[in-house]
Amino acid sequence: MPGTRKLGRETAHRTAMLRALVTFLLENGRIETTVTRAKEVSALTEKFITIAKVESLANKRQALAFITKEDVVSKLFKEIAPKYMDKNGGYTRITKIGPRRGDAAEMAVIELI
């Protein structure tokens, strides 16, 4: 996909990392990560919430192919997506929290609104 960030990782590593971050965000409601990762996770999470608004077998399989935990997928379809039925996008919020102590990377909190 043009326009995706490489995040200093090879394709398989980047995909695995983003799958884990999206899963953790949907499971816990908020995570703390770097700003660039948060932007990528936000885009993917919004995509899956939009997919989950229509509960079909194809959509569930599409979500299961990316999200690593089955119980998180069922939570996405049963609890998370119904909250956003009347909203078209903007399901996540990224809040910058300043530099990380070790390497001064710009950190952010990403959360479901």
Side-chain angles (χ1 to χ4, degrees), residues 58-102:
N59 287 352
K60 280 188 179 175
R61 286 181 174 166
Q62 197 172 352
L64 281 165
F66 191 83
I67 298 168
T68 58
K69 297 180 181 176
E70 284 185 38
D71 57 324
V72 174
V73 173
S74 67
K75 179 181 177 182
L76 173 64
F77 278 85
K78 299 270 189 293
E79 298 171 29
I80 298 171
K83 279 197 323 193
Y84 301 111
M85 277 302 185
D86 56 338
K87 204 170 179 189
N88 293 325
Y91 316 123
T92 58
R93 175 190 301 134
I94 298 174
T95 310
K96 293 182 181 179
I97 56 173
R100 182 162 53 195
R101 185 182 165 112

Side-chain angles (χ1 to χ4, degrees), residues 6-54:
K6 294 191 178 180
L7 303 172
R9 310 241 176 315
E10 292 179 5
T11 306
H13 186 181
R14 179 174 60 250
T15 305
M17 179 187 67
L18 290 173
R19 285 178 69 185
L21 287 170
V22 169
T23 303
F24 295 146
L25 177 59
L26 291 172
E27 188 175 28
N28 302 319
R30 63 181 279 153
I31 53 173
E32 188 176 313
T33 184
T34 62
V35 172
T36 50
R37 284 183 192 173
K39 288 178 182 178
E40 282 297 305
V41 170
S42 175
L44 288 167
T45 303
E46 302 228 356
K47 174 186 167 186
F48 282 106
I49 291 174
T50 303
I51 287 171
K53 283 180 169 185
V54 178

